[in-house]
Amino acid sequence: MLRPSAARLSHFLPSLALLIAGLAAAYVKDLNVFFTSLFNVLPTLVLLLGGAYCGVYKRQRELFLMITVYIAYFLLDTQTDYYRDNGKVREDAAVVFHLCCLLLPVMFGLFAAWEERTHLFQDLVARVAVLVAVGSVALGLEQSFPAGLLAWLADIRWPALHGDWMSLIQLSYVTFFIAFAVLITQYLYKPRPLHAAQLVGLLGMFWALPKTFILPFTLNIMCSQVMLMIAAAVAHEAYQMAFRDELTGLPGRRALNERMQRLGRNYVLAMSDVDHFKKFNDTHGHDVGDQVLRLVASKLSKITNGGGRAYRYGGEEFAIVFAGKTLEECMPHLEVIRETIASYQIQLRNQDNRPNDDLQGRQRRAGSQASAVSVTVSIGVAERLLEHRNPEEVLKSADQALYAAKGAGRNCVISHAQTSKRGAVRMAAAG
């Protein structure tokens, strides 16, 4: 289980890596023909591949984020191509540029915060309608009142807030600020790789827009990177859903199976089970049962200090992998984990007399309304020996040792060697 700070950092790392790579590429002055041709087609290629990827996984929010970025890229790239070929900008360059700077953060923030909550087709129609409506109004104003629209966009409404460093219209800073506020709030409320990618992507576009006519291929590179961030976030979350248990945060059964295929010659596997979990669940309810599983998972995750890695095997069962370790090295760490779980007190509150607000709840905590319970775990351990040809056989031996631990009275650690040589011997430390 990742600690909150480490988990949040892992959300940002892929996007930050892409952002840094994009910044480095944008400042390269002399590009050969290959990279020049690549940057010309890269945004379209990323949209096609990333859009297809999002479509397969029915991630419409991410798809429309990519479409929003690509539309801005297409409109501005047309302007920069004309500028590079003719040495001057088109007549509509200023109004198109200002419109993109104003509407890009608006649409990006809107689609980023717009979660799929209805039927997929209805959601698709609604998103298309919003995109078409905003685009039609912007195009109509640009075609009918170009001079008036340009004057309105470029107007400095708050002179006291205007600085010489501002290279965009004042209104665009307002829309970027609002979009950043929305995305930061969204991430704090629901920390996810996608929400982190949205934040970093918006930051990348905020940096790239002022450089559109200054640094060659800046727009191509950064728009491609932002779309790649979104696609990478989808892949990251798909991996988490497939390989990480949502309740406990530990790697799941599929991750365990993959890890077992990459073990060397020396390793130890352990199986752990929460004692009397069904009875505890029936007595205190599923919510408390989930709390217990999260508690056990959080304690088992500390096994990394002993060189192990915990996995959610299924139900109330957990597996632990010690790669490159011997049984003698692992047993003390398992004992520490067992004792830690057994000594932890879980506070239960009277569910029939819930507090009406947070203040009342704080006043009742640790008082007569609360009672404490504890749980224990039984652990079976097996080491890879000559008679164990593969990890599956070692895991089976650990499972047999787990049953022996339960038969020995529970709340103990039993190795497979003990069950085969001298029967179940209780390993729990007694005062």
Side-chain angles (χ1 to χ4, degrees):
M1 179 184 292
L2 293 175
R3 295 179 180 177
S5 57
R8 294 193 177 192
L9 179 61
S10 70
H11 293 167
F12 283 94
L13 281 178
S15 299
L16 288 175
L18 287 170
L19 178 64
I20 294 172
L23 293 175
Y27 279 104
V28 176
K29 294 182 179 180
D30 298 322
L31 295 172
N32 59 33
V33 177
F34 171 77
F35 284 105
T36 301
S37 302
L38 175 63
F39 291 150
N40 279 327
V41 301
L42 190 59
T44 303
L45 182 63
V46 172
L47 176 67
L48 291 175
L49 296 179
Y53 183 67
C54 293
V56 168
Y57 285 97
K58 297 180 175 60
R59 304 292 287 265
Q60 295 185 162
R61 173 164 55 159
E62 294 83 347
L63 175 61
F64 276 83
L65 282 171
M66 298 175 74
I67 291 174
T68 299
V69 173
Y70 187 82
I71 290 175
Y73 155 75
F74 178 79
L75 293 173
L76 295 178
D77 186 61
T78 303
Q79 301 291 338
T80 56
D81 283 346
Y82 184 90
Y83 175 72
R84 282 194 295 265
D85 295 340
N86 300 278
K88 61 179 182 180
V89 297
R90 287 173 39 168
E91 293 182 359
D92 62 345
V95 67
V96 170
F97 178 75
H98 294 331
L99 276 174
C100 288
C101 294
L102 176 69
L103 294 179
L104 175 60
V106 172
M107 300 305 295
F108 193 94
L110 174 63
F111 285 133
W114 185 345
E115 298 184 4
E116 299 92 338
R117 295 186 180 277
T118 60
H119 190 276
L120 285 177
F121 181 73
Q122 295 175 352
D123 183 82
L124 176 65
V125 172
R127 291 175 192 270
V128 171
V130 170
L131 194 61
V132 170
V134 173
S136 299
V137 171
L139 179 61
L141 291 174
E142 190 272 332
Q143 293 292 322
S144 302
F145 312 100
L149 179 60
L150 179 60
W152 183 84
L153 290 171
D155 183 33
I156 299 177
R157 291 165 174 78
W158 307 282
L161 300 178
H162 192 74
D164 295 335
W165 58 271
M166 292 183 176
S167 50
L168 303 177
I169 58 173
Q170 197 175 59
L171 279 177
S172 69
Y173 289 98
V174 176
T175 56
F176 266 108
F177 177 81
I178 295 173
F180 275 119
V182 169
L183 296 188
I184 290 173
T185 302
Q186 179 180 242
Y187 180 79
L188 293 176
Y189 181 67
K190 291 183 179 180
R192 290 175 51 187
L194 172 62
H195 296 163
Q198 292 169 352
L199 263 173
V200 179
L202 187 62
L203 180 64
M205 295 306 302
F206 181 72
W207 172 87
L209 286 175
K211 309 292 192 299
T212 299
F213 292 95
I214 300 175
L215 294 176
F217 301 106
T218 297
L219 197 67
N220 307 56
I221 296 170
M222 193 52 64
C223 288
S224 300
Q225 297 299 83
V226 172
M227 290 188 287
L228 279 174
M229 293 176 197
I230 297 168
V234 175
H236 191 174
E237 293 192 349
Y239 173 86
Q240 286 190 327
M241 286 188 289
F243 292 92
R244 189 166 292 277
D245 178 61
E246 185 176 5
L247 175 64
T248 63
L250 292 177
R253 181 78 169 269
R254 185 173 296 179
L256 172 65
N257 292 337
E258 286 205 356
R259 183 69 182 92
M260 288 172 59
Q261 303 307 314
R262 295 180 281 107
L263 292 172
R265 291 180 176 272
N266 301 316
Y267 55 88
V268 174
L269 301 180
M271 289 292 294
S272 175
D273 185 273
V274 181
D275 296 329
H276 302 295
F277 182 73
K278 185 179 184 303
K279 180 180 179 181
F280 187 93
N281 220 18
D282 293 340
T283 303
H284 300 287
H286 293 288
D287 289 341
V288 178
D290 290 346
Q291 181 183 348
V292 167
L293 293 177
R294 284 192 289 266
L295 163 69
V296 172
S298 68
K299 302 304 180 185
L300 289 176
S301 66
K302 304 298 190 301
I303 203 70
T304 54
N305 297 331
R309 183 75 183 273
Y311 298 80
R312 174 88 182 274
Y313 191 78
E316 66 271 24
E317 288 189 307
F318 299 86
I320 306 171
V321 176
F322 295 91
K325 299 290 182 179
T326 64
L327 185 64
E328 289 73 17
E329 293 174 323
C330 300
M331 291 294 281
H333 298 289
L334 292 172
E335 275 294 334
V336 170
I337 293 296
R338 181 199 63 77
E339 292 175 358
T340 301
I341 295 173
S343 60
Y344 190 89
Q345 297 293 309
I346 302 174
Q347 299 296 323
L348 300 179
R349 297 180 181 85
N350 186 352
Q351 298 297 320
D352 297 328
N353 191 17
R354 299 287 296 174
N356 296 323
D357 51 41
D358 292 339
L359 177 61
Q360 188 178 5
R362 286 193 295 268
Q363 292 173 346
R364 291 185 181 182
R365 283 172 193 152
S368 60
Q369 300 292 336
S371 59
V373 298
S374 62
V375 296
T376 61
V377 295
S378 300
I379 303 175
V381 198
E383 184 177 15
R384 193 264 183 185
L385 301 173
L386 292 178
E387 60 266 26
H388 296 145
R389 297 183 179 180
N390 53 57
E392 286 74 17
E393 292 184 359
V394 180
L395 192 66
K396 183 178 180 180
S397 297
D399 197 48
Q400 293 172 350
L402 172 61
Y403 278 100
K406 288 186 173 294
R410 294 182 170 83
N411 190 24
C412 58
V413 182
I414 296 291
S415 72
H416 183 260
Q418 291 172 283
T419 64
S420 58
K421 292 180 180 179
R422 62 178 184 274
V425 178
R426 186 174 178 85
M427 295 290 295

